[in-house]
């Protein structure tokens, strides 16, 4: 049986990779993909505890996380398309209308 | 090492490597394909944890739904421009420091807390989740029983997301 902290370490590694992606990339599509990576890291933790504790609640919460990820992707990509119609760019450094 | 352990380490290595590929590849389409590899590896990890229903949901919703949506949008807006544009900003030093702090903190907590996690292994209580009466049945009973209200709230969230994305991408008519 794999010790549970290996699952948690994998989740931590995936989450950190997602954070680095959000901080370093300029392309808004890759930033959205990095957010999906972070949500997957959370799901791994939830399901690891669900399996080890023998309780199904973790899997139910993972379903809710997937729901939120789907909603976030739909709205986020809608915003990307609306923004691309206006500014013709996917580079977040050029989208600075609200920057002080 | 048992089969479960071997599979876990293979899938974990695949997931981490393709996640690194997602954030380092310059072409957005390549990033999307690497993300597909990550999501499928995570589905494999769910299988090693006997969460078969979640593995199916992961493949159908994430890879089949969300990722295809991503690729549609990438195809919709011009790829050629995004390839010539600079893909990385100058914050990589800040990002590196943040990442090292974050992974150090998480690793330290896990390292110190490993002893307390030993409690979380009641192998005798596990069989109910280990697929004896069916993982899908267990999840379904919990979802439509104890967690009915959060389930309905999640459906309202999805409805709001549908309305929001339609309103965002709607064309302005002459009357407006």
């Amino acid at each position: 049986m794999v010790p549970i902290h290996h699952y948690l370490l994998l989740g931590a590694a995936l989450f950190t990779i997602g954070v680095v992606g959000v901080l370093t990339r300029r392309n808004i599509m890759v930033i959205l993909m990095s957010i999906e990576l972070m949500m997957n890291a959370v799901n791994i933790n939830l399901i690891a505890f669900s399996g080890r504790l023998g309780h199904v609640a973790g899997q139910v919460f993972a379903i809710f996380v997937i729901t939120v990820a789907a909603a976030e992707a739909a709205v986020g990509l809608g915003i990307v398309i609306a923004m691309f119609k206006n500014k013709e760019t996917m580079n977040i450094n050029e989208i600075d209308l609200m920057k002080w | 090492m048992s089969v479960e352990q071997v599979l876990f380490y293979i899938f974990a290595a695949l997931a981490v490597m393709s996640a690194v590929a997602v954030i380092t590849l310059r072409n957005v389409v390549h990033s999307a394909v690497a993300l597909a590899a990550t999501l499928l590896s995570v589905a494999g990890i769910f299988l090693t944890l006997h969460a078969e229903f979640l593995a199916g949901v992961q493949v159908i919703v994430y890879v089949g739904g969300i990722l295809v949506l991503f690729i549609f949008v990438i195809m919709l807006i011009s790829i050629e421009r995004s390839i010539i544009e600079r893909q990385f900003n100058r914050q990589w030093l800040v990002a590196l420091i943040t990442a090292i702090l974050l992974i150090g903190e998480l690793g330290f907590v896990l390292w110190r807390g490993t002893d307390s996690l030993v409690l979380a292994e009641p192998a005798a209580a596990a069989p109910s989740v280990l697929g004896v009466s069916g993982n899908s049945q267990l999840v379904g009973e919990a979802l439509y029983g104890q967690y009915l209200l959060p389930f309905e709230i999640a459906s309202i969230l999805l409805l709001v997301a549908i309305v929001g994305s339609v309103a965002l991408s709607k064309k302005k008519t002459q009357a407006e």
Side-chain angles (χ1 to χ4, degrees):
Chain A
M1 192 178 258
V2 185
I4 190 165
H5 57 271
H6 288 192
Y7 288 101
L8 302 186
L9 264 179
L10 173 68
L14 281 185
F15 192 89
T16 312
I17 293 170
V19 170
V20 174
V22 169
L23 287 176
T24 56
R25 294 301 294 252
R26 293 179 160 201
N27 192 314
I28 193 159
M29 296 300 298
V30 182
I31 291 177
L32 283 174
M33 288 183 205
S34 305
I35 295 174
E36 302 292 337
L37 274 183
M38 291 195 261
M39 292 200 177
N40 262 283
V42 174
N43 274 352
I44 290 177
N45 280 11
L46 284 173
I47 293 182
F49 276 116
S50 165
R52 285 294 180 272
L53 291 171
H55 200 279
V56 83
Q59 301 186 23
V60 175
F61 272 86
I63 291 179
F64 292 144
V65 171
I66 291 178
T67 312
V68 171
E72 174 253 330
V75 175
L77 293 173
I79 291 174
V80 169
I81 290 179
M83 208 173 61
F84 192 77
K85 276 186 199 157
N86 287 329
K87 298 219 41 159
E88 293 270 315
T89 182
M90 291 211 285
N91 188 337
I92 52 161
N93 288 33
E94 289 175 29
I95 304 157
D96 50 3
L97 199 64
M98 292 180 75
K99 200 172 173 184
W100 186 52
Chain B
M1 277 171 92
S2 64
V3 183
E4 184 200 344
Q5 281 175 310
V6 174
L7 281 177
F8 169 74
Y9 291 116
I10 290 173
F11 281 130
L14 272 177
V16 171
M17 281 190 296
S18 49
V20 170
V22 170
I23 65 164
T24 51
L25 289 176
R26 295 190 161 269
N27 193 327
V28 193
V29 183
H30 296 173
S31 288
V33 174
L35 184 66
T38 313
L39 297 176
L40 290 173
S41 318
V42 172
I45 287 168
F46 290 174
L47 278 182
T48 68
L49 281 161
H50 299 283
E52 290 88 2
F53 181 69
L54 253 293
V57 167
Q58 172 91 1
V59 172
I60 294 171
V61 175
Y62 256 115
V63 185
I66 298 177
L67 199 72
V68 170
L69 200 63
F70 270 101
I71 293 176
F72 264 133
V73 172
I74 293 170
M75 295 296 166
L76 213 62
I77 53 194
S78 61
I79 318 168
E80 293 82 13
R81 271 208 61 184
S82 68
I83 293 174
I84 17 174
E85 277 175 353
R86 284 194 57 207
Q87 289 289 317
F88 297 90
N89 57 26
R90 294 184 206 87
Q91 291 175 355
W92 63 269
L93 193 64
V94 185
L96 193 71
I97 294 168
T98 314
I100 288 173
L101 279 178
L102 189 63
I103 196 79
E105 187 184 342
L106 291 171
F108 180 73
V109 168
L110 284 177
W111 175 59
R112 291 299 299 266
T114 311
D115 297 339
S116 64
L117 289 174
V118 177
L119 286 174
E121 290 188 18
S128 57
V129 175
L130 293 181
V132 173
S133 80
N135 177 251
S136 310
Q137 189 187 345
L138 276 170
V139 175
E141 277 170 2
L143 202 57
Y144 290 106
Q146 196 183 355
Y147 297 99
L148 187 62
L149 183 64
F151 180 75
E152 295 297 335
I153 294 173
S155 65
I156 291 176
L157 173 75
L158 277 179
L159 179 69
V160 171
I162 294 169
V163 173
S165 53
V166 168
L168 273 172
S169 53
K170 192 168 69 84
K171 263 191 179 171
K172 283 231 164 68
T173 55
Q174 291 289 329
E176 289 164 337

